[in-house]
Amino acid sequence: MSETNAPPPPPAGTTAASIPHEGHFAAVVHSWQQWWRTSVTSTVDQAAVIEKRREDCDTSARYLFLTAMSGGIAILGLLLSSPAVVIGAMLLSPLMGPIMGLGFALAIGDYRWLRQSAKSLIYGSVLAVFLCALIVFLSPIQTVTSEIASRTQPNLFDLLVALFSALAGAYAMIRGREGTIVGVAIATALMPPLAVVGFGLATLNWTVFQGALLLFITNLITIALTAMVMARIYGFRTELSQRQTHLQNLIVVLVFIALAIPLGYSLIQIGKQANGERLVRGELQDLFDNNSRLSQVDIDWRTEPVSIDATVLTPKLEADAESKGKRALTRILGQDVDLKLTQYKVGTGAQAAEAAQLAAAEAKKRQAELVKVDELTRELALVAGVSSKDVIVDRENNRALVRAKALPGATLATYHTLETRIAAGVPTWQVQILPPPGGALPAIAFMTDGDNKGQPTEAGRRALAQVAWAAQRSGMTVALRGGTEGERETAAAILADSNVTPKLEPGGPQMTVHWVTNASEP
């Protein structure tokens, strides 16, 4: 019987008076407790669940390696403001194991397991923080990106996300539905806050450091305590006395309250800032006529006084707008304000202001595009082993091309993979890395028996894809040599799908591929 079934009615002859509780409500509660114990908790293999959770808490070389790699990927994704890379780090991170282990160890009163889980968590966290700090210290990019800033102001909503995610994760672990953990790992985001802690440490930015550390601790404690409560609900036995159990429950409630107070205060501050921004926009707009438009308003609430930088598009310049605005905003916000107001005169009428606003937005977009192109150029030059001036960039058609130098140990697969990886980061651009001329081409393996005899193996198909890519990039002709006639024709047909027409040459039993040069022409 699953958890969704209603509890069975009390056995015949059972009355509220015969149940060791008084009143109808107590009888219903007792009936539900009986049903939960017999139909739900009895179906949980507690020994198997505990054994699996213990395995996830070992301080093994695998655990430390994956934690380090996850931290490295996370900090790079944060520095590049790449959500996809950050999500990859979340999926790779093994920190959920020891945190859940803390909860289950608390539930059953196994303090040896509790110490092991805490040790694994501390070792992994310290390793990730210092590796991230080292990467940031050595990196030329040390700016607070949007991805970093979003993890420095935890609030009550972050606590609720961690709570609901932990409920789902603990349920999945207890009921054997481990696939849910992938979603929980993304939702709770344990590794990115640790990476931001490393960033704050490397840059000596204690505001970033403290905010990210609070977010990580919030997630950690919420997940561990929620896992403990869920394990208790599902009947995991404890060696503690009833009094000790009640003390644990009281501590859990107090910890949640202690976390909720600063996070709730943070949420209130964010709400005040949002309302303050609305008031600032309204007051600045009132300084000008109805045909004016606010193009940009940037507010830094952390400075003293509050820094406000605004741009207005208006058909009539107001000489004392900045001083009036400063006095009005100081009065409305109840704190000192440093206002910088830039006015641009545009044609009369609302349409002229809107057109100027669109032009300003388009100019900002073009500037961002130029920054992206510069980053793309540097990245292509780096992987190709050339200087930035050797990268050909066609901004009108969104194309970038570079001829790579022969790098030690680099194969066609290396250049192909680099091109694919860079192109994925700029999906609106056509990126091409031309491999060094005359590079070795891979051999093609075929099935030797079975129903697929004469067809390329998986490795053979990958090799053909690399050959097709190299032929397209270089513009040279390739020749298939060796193998049976049928194998050569099969490989040629696969290459033809990529608009590559190879020459076919008889040879040995193993099919090889080579470039066709003038010297090798028949």
Side-chain angles (χ1 to χ4, degrees), residues 232 238-250:
R232 289 278 186 81
T238 175
E239 299 172 0
L240 301 177
S241 67
Q242 190 72 14
R243 182 178 179 182
Q244 290 172 312
T245 301
H246 288 324
L247 178 61
Q248 273 194 350
N249 294 337
L250 177 61

Side-chain angles (χ1 to χ4, degrees), residues 49-90:
V49 173
I50 290 174
E51 182 181 0
K52 175 62 177 174
R53 299 284 68 79
R54 286 183 188 276
E55 292 176 0
D56 294 339
C57 300
D58 291 338
T59 313
S60 61
R62 173 184 175 277
Y63 167 78
L64 294 175
F65 177 77
L66 288 179
T67 302
M69 294 304 99
S70 174
I73 294 171
I75 193 61
L76 292 175
L78 293 168
L79 291 173
L80 296 172
S81 278
S82 173
V85 176
V86 176
I87 290 174
M90 298 177 195

Side-chain angles (χ1 to χ4, degrees), residues 154-161 259-267:
N155 55 62
L156 192 57
F157 288 162
D158 293 301
L159 175 64
L160 294 177
V161 169
L259 285 174
I261 290 173
L263 295 175
Y265 175 77
S266 178
L267 180 61

Side-chain angles (χ1 to χ4, degrees), residues 115-134:
R115 286 192 297 271
Q116 175 60 42
S117 300
K119 185 177 76 171
S120 296
L121 181 61
I122 292 172
Y123 285 175
S125 301
V126 171
L127 175 63
V129 167
F130 280 99
L131 176 62
C132 293
L134 178 62

Side-chain angles (χ1 to χ4, degrees), residues 388-404:
S388 297
K389 67 177 183 295
D390 295 322
V391 180
I392 301 173
V393 177
D394 182 358
R395 289 187 173 89
E396 292 185 1
N397 298 307
N398 284 12
R399 295 181 57 192
L401 179 147
V402 63
R403 165 82 63 184

Side-chain angles (χ1 to χ4, degrees), residues 370-446:
L370 290 176
V371 172
K372 184 172 71 173
V373 170
D374 290 341
E375 292 177 353
L376 174 61
T377 302
R378 289 195 298 270
E379 191 171 7
L380 283 174
L382 179 64
V383 301
V386 298
S387 66
S388 297
K389 67 177 183 295
D390 295 322
V391 180
I392 301 173
V393 177
D394 182 358
R395 289 187 173 89
E396 292 185 1
N397 298 307
N398 284 12
R399 295 181 57 192
L401 179 147
V402 63
R403 165 82 63 184
K405 284 186 176 180
L407 302 175
T411 63
L412 279 180
T414 304
Y415 298 109
H416 191 189
T417 301
L418 289 172
E419 181 190 276
T420 303
R421 188 174 300 166
I422 294 175
V426 282
T428 59
W429 278 67
Q430 181 183 355
V431 177
Q432 293 186 353
I433 297 180
L434 307 185
L441 296 170
I444 313 299
F446 283 83

